[in-house]
Amino acid sequence: MLPAVEMAAGKIQPPEAADEYRWKIRTAIETEKPKQIRQNISKAEQRSRKKLMSDKDIKILPADKGNATETHNLVSFDVTSLLTNVPTEAALAIVENRLFRDTTLDERASLSVEAIIELLPTCVNTT
């Protein structure tokens, strides 16, 4: 931004007017209150992300691409097309394992683990 201000100020005559222009821009920048940063994900997504990050069984590493994340098995999760980059069989095996280990699932879900496992491939493969 400063190079653009300097370029514009260099074209203003007389030099005193250019200095006044620079001063007004500087004052405006210094007095501007910083705006609160708005999150681009919902509170629920923030909580889920925090829970995943704290899970010691899951290792999340920054990826070399701008909008992707790599996990311990080097699967790339692209934000715009999450399921298309995940090996389906590996994902289903992980989900099945987690469901069978979840001791409180019956309190939160009306379907049995077997029913979920039977329906999940259809959900994952229908994109």
Side-chain angles (χ1 to χ4, degrees):
M1 183 173 157
L2 292 177
V5 169
E6 251 333 288
M7 183 183 291
K11 296 178 182 177
I12 298 174
Q13 292 297 327
E16 294 81 22
D19 288 340
E20 184 179 347
Y21 171 78
R22 287 183 187 99
W23 181 255
K24 286 181 179 179
I25 296 294
R26 179 180 174 187
T27 304
I29 291 171
E30 288 176 347
T31 59
E32 179 68 25
K33 292 180 181 176
K35 295 186 174 153
Q36 183 150 356
I37 297 172
R38 190 174 71 95
Q39 295 291 332
N40 62 353
I41 60 175
S42 71
K43 295 282 186 193
E45 290 169 323
Q46 290 175 30
R47 284 190 300 272
S48 295
R49 181 179 177 271
K50 187 175 181 179
K51 186 176 179 181
L52 285 171
M53 298 283 285
S54 66
D55 189 334
K56 300 298 181 198
D57 293 335
I58 299 173
K59 185 174 182 182
I60 299 176
L61 304 169
D64 59 348
K65 300 175 187 101
N67 63 347
T69 303
E70 291 183 17
T71 62
H72 67 286
N73 57 0
L74 302 179
V75 174
S76 176
F77 291 90
D78 189 328
V79 173
T80 57
S81 56
L82 181 61
L83 295 176
T84 57
N85 294 332
V86 178
T88 306
E89 294 305 317
L92 293 174
I94 291 169
V95 170
E96 182 176 359
N97 185 21
R98 292 276 180 145
L99 288 173
F100 277 116
R101 288 188 339 194
D102 189 342
T103 58
T104 63
L105 181 65
D106 57 343
E107 298 168 12
R108 300 184 323 260
S110 59
L111 294 174
S112 66
V113 172
E114 292 79 11
I116 294 171
I117 296 303
E118 184 179 336
L119 294 169
L120 193 57
T122 303
C123 297
V124 171
N125 293 321
T126 309
T127 58

